[in-house]
Amino acid sequence: MIGLVSATAAGRRARDRLAAAWPGAVRVYGTGGEGGADGAGTVREAVTRAFAECDRLVCFLATGATVRLIAPLLADKADDPGVVCVDEAQQYAVALLGGHAGGANDLAHAVAEALPGCRPVVTTATDAAGVPGLDTLGLPVEGSVAMVSRAMLDGEPVRLVRHHVLPLPALPPNVTEATGNATEGDGGDGGNSGEGTDGGYTLLVTDRAVAPGDRTAVLRPPTLAVGVGASRGVPAEEVAALVGQALADAGLSPLSVTELATVEAKAGEEGIVEAARRLGVPLRTYPAGELAAVPVPHPSDAPLAAVGTPSVAEAAALLACGEGAELVVPKRKSAPEGRAAMATCAVARRRPRGRLAVVGLGPGARDLLTPRARDELRRASVVVGLDQYVDQIRDLLRPGTRVLESGLGAEEERSRTAVAEARAGRAVALIGSGDAGVYAMASPALAEASADIDVVGVPGVTAALAAAALLGAPLGHDHVSISLSDLHTPWEVIERRVRAAAESDLVVTFYNPRSRGRDWQLPKALALLAEHRAPHTPAGIVRNASRPGERTTVTTLGELDPAAVDMMTVVTVGNTATRTVAGRMVTPRGYRWQESR
Ligand code: SAH
């Protein structure tokens, strides 16, 4: 819950804006009335109550006032709520307290987005310097997190020891990987290799239950799933104790467990549901038929009779971990005192997977780069792309990001490199302008990619859309993009498609319309359209949409000058219903409009 505290009329207006933007997520404190003589007292009470009841606070108060009010309430970095202050003019959302752990940095960004003209102010060192905060990686961390973070930031040597491949973002150059430790999928020798034996700082990535030394931070990768089976009425105690003991005996950390898994018939079994809650993980269930199909070392008749699969615990753990999963704890039974066991559990470990993000950067302007694309760029440790696209976003990359750029043409090689890096377990961003799936890298890359990596696509604003927005509303009805490049496609095919578009009266956007060596294709394509459209049909030329040197020309099919077109350009030709209105191209949404005229 986010507590909102305000004292002035302007503050209350901003507060109401946030309350409207985040319905259900906020609670309003104090000064519902007009403040008045007891204003200060009311605000103190409001802050005190909000501080106790909420996990984050937005105070529409000066930082000084807020500091004085919260100072006596501060207890502990781990428990105190994150506090953001917003000034009277709502120009700044200042993350005042609990930047990382309290979520104030994120909240400052969210507030700034919800209040027009407001900017986030974040002073936490790790965010400011582009070094990823260890507590912001979306993974559980333990040990000396603050110390190791500070060492990373101060440029002191930090040893990275990975027991598992894990696609991490770029880490600064003072963090160096200790070689020979990436023992993915090992049987768990239980040793605490990777502890800071040399007294230096260590960042350890492991699902093993190690006791971190005072200069070691441990990142817990999401590697484990626990399968459970139980008879009806099993006590939560029994399930929880069994799971805890199984993990402890195997030397595994509960923080690396991502889910409890069982058969669908047990979805409502209170003891299992409660055990998952205690472990802080979701409960996932599978149909008996799916579980029955999983080969397991210890099938048995009892669950077959009861729920229709010879294995619940082992099969569910393996299924939850997907292809290549390894059973690290075979089925074991609970051992309650004085009665028969009611629960079984097993633990599986996933095969580590690299990550390939295929990221569209938009046409050029920074504000047409989506927040999601930006996040993916900062999440990557390797960026692969054409040099001119890398230039578009180089400043956004974390220091230490490995950039594999290449010139035009080397597409196959670029895709292969990106996939190979992801298969090696890295976090890779393959970038392209506009949308990376439109005449770009997504298809050659995914044609190469195997099922053993995670792939995420981030859509981007295409050149066609950026151009359309500049031209008016040319895409108001059915439309098509056609590339005039005959580099990968024979001209006969292109011509056939242009003819089809002409005949079916589609609005057409030509990509790759004309280059020095390819100058006859555009006039030819326009001539084909002219067989079905009048010379006065509106047409637009957009060069460098949303980039420096942007130029937009609205003309007609008859008057379009191919010499004004090059490879930085798209050409959009309207259909027979497209009109020019006040200098803008407008394609009506339907043909009825035409009939009624
Ligand atoms: N993936 C890109 C297209 C790449 S093909 C997208 O989704 O937009 C390259 C062609 O796109 C160029 O030859 C040009 O025709 C067009 N193009 C790309 N960016 C452009 C821009 N900012 N302005 C105009 N045309 C652009």
Side-chain angles (χ1 to χ4, degrees):
M1 188 57 67
I2 301 173
L4 306 180
V5 184
S6 55
T8 65
R12 278 191 290 278
R13 276 196 299 278
R15 171 197 77 187
D16 291 344
R17 235 192 153 107
L18 288 192
W22 303 331
V26 303
R27 193 178 296 158
V28 168
Y29 285 88
T31 68
E34 290 309 305
D38 64 341
T42 312
V43 174
R44 176 176 299 279
E45 272 166 37
V47 168
T48 306
R49 265 200 304 129
F51 200 91
E53 293 170 9
C54 298
D55 35 51
R56 293 187 290 174
L57 261 65
V58 181
C59 298
F60 298 91
L61 303 169
T63 49
T66 311
V67 167
R68 285 179 200 291
L69 291 169
I70 63 174
L73 311 173
L74 298 180
D76 172 337
K77 187 172 167 168
D79 298 327
D80 289 339
V83 177
V84 169
C85 282
V86 178
D87 64 301
E88 183 74 2
Q90 292 138 50
Q91 291 192 77
Y92 302 105
V94 185
L96 187 69
L97 179 75
H100 287 146
N105 293 349
D106 289 345
L107 183 59
H109 283 280
V111 168
E113 233 156 68
L115 300 177
C118 186
R119 290 168 54 181
V121 178
V122 169
T123 57
T124 323
T126 45
D127 283 10
V131 173
L134 291 178
D135 49 354
T136 64
L137 298 178
L139 300 174
V141 275
E142 289 184 288
S144 310
V145 179
M147 252 200 176
V148 174
S149 291
R150 194 160 48 241
M152 277 169 63
L153 196 62
D154 291 347
E156 290 187 47
V158 176
R159 218 156 54 107
L160 171 66
V161 180
R162 282 194 253 211
H163 291 165
H164 314 271
V165 168
L166 177 70
L168 286 175
L171 298 170
N174 51 313
V175 180
T176 48
E177 179 121 37
T179 47
N181 273 296
T183 53
E184 56 187 88
D186 74 4
D189 59 10
N192 52 355
S193 53
E195 277 303 289
T197 43
D198 57 0
Y201 295 103
T202 302
L203 177 57
L204 179 60
V205 180
T206 188
D207 61 17
R208 293 187 208 152
V210 292
D214 63 356
R215 292 181 161 216
T216 298
V218 186
L219 268 180
R220 295 302 188 183
T223 48
L224 306 174
V226 178
V228 287
S231 2
R232 184 165 314 143
V234 68
E237 272 316 319
E238 186 170 340
V239 180
L242 170 65
V243 172
Q245 200 56 50
L247 291 169
D249 291 351
L252 297 171
S253 167
L255 289 179
S256 278
V257 175
T258 58
E259 62 221 86
L260 231 54
T262 189
V263 64
E264 255 173 17
K266 298 288 174 189
E269 186 62 49
E270 202 35 57
I272 299 181
V273 173
E274 172 61 18
R277 207 186 55 75
R278 287 193 203 170
L279 208 57
V281 298
L283 177 65
R284 252 173 90 179
T285 60
Y286 296 96
E290 272 182 49
L291 295 175
V294 180
V296 295
H298 305 101
S300 93
D301 291 338
L304 186 58
V307 288
T309 165
S311 165
V312 174
E314 289 183 346
L318 285 168
L319 212 51
C321 286
E323 228 182 84
E326 163 204 17
L327 196 64
V328 283
V329 178
K331 179 174 76 175
R332 53 187 279 172
K333 285 192 174 129
S334 52
E337 250 172 71
R339 61 171 170 80
M342 293 177 80
T344 57
C345 90
V347 184
R349 184 187 268 142
R350 352 191 113 73
R351 184 196 287 171
R353 294 163 71 86
R355 190 164 199 279
L356 176 63
V358 184
V359 182
L361 303 180
R366 186 48 64 81
D367 57 356
L368 288 183
L369 176 78
T370 65
R372 192 182 296 184
R374 190 186 282 255
D375 286 349
E376 283 297 343
L377 294 173
R378 296 184 63 77
R379 183 172 176 158
S381 67
V382 182
V383 168
V384 182
L386 203 60
D387 39 19
Q388 71 201 65
Y389 301 150
V390 175
D391 287 340
Q392 206 172 310
I393 46 82
R394 203 181 294 274
D395 61 302
L396 292 177
L397 303 179
R398 286 190 195 281
T401 305
R402 200 145 52 88
V403 177
L404 306 173
E405 42 196 322
S406 50
L408 262 175
E411 286 203 352
E412 305 290 312
E413 184 201 318
R414 250 192 329 273
S415 335
R416 261 198 298 279
T417 307
V419 171
E421 290 287 334
R423 293 193 74 185
R426 303 202 173 90
V428 182
L430 177 63
I431 59 169
S433 85
D435 184 277
V438 174
Y439 305 123
M441 296 303 299
S443 15
L446 297 198
E448 289 281 329
S450 37
D452 58 357
I453 56 171
D454 291 327
V455 174
V456 287
V458 181
V461 175
T462 63
L465 291 179
L470 291 165
L471 291 169
L475 307 183
H477 207 276
D478 300 335
H479 54 274
V480 65
S481 291
I482 298 178
S483 166
L484 293 185
S485 166
D486 48 7
L487 214 63
H488 299 291
T489 312
W491 176 254
E492 300 76 69
V493 174
I494 299 173
E495 185 168 322
R496 182 146 41 87
R497 291 181 183 178
V498 177
R499 277 183 200 284
E503 280 164 19
S504 45
D505 202 27
L506 292 165
V507 175
V508 183
T509 300
F510 291 117
Y511 274 75
N512 303 307
R514 183 170 176 270
S515 68
R516 244 175 294 139
R518 276 191 311 108
D519 58 0
W520 57 264
Q521 287 86 346
L522 178 63
K524 173 76 187 170
L526 294 174
L528 293 171
L529 291 183
E531 289 177 18
H532 297 268
R533 293 174 205 189
H536 66 258
T537 304
I541 303 174
V542 180
R543 183 162 195 272
N544 284 322
S546 103
R547 292 198 291 236
E550 176 181 286
R551 200 177 65 218
T552 306
T553 313
V554 175
T555 173
T556 62
L557 181 55
E559 283 175 6
L560 193 149
D561 176 15
V565 175
D566 63 8
M567 282 298 276
M568 318 296 271
T569 310
V570 287
V571 173
T572 298
V573 181
N575 66 13
T576 54
T578 306
R579 297 287 172 267
T580 307
V581 180
R584 304 185 188 99
M585 284 176 77
V586 179
T587 303
R589 285 190 56 197
Y591 288 84
R592 288 180 197 291
W593 180 82
Q594 244 185 325
E595 286 161 15
S596 67
R597 292 176 70 223

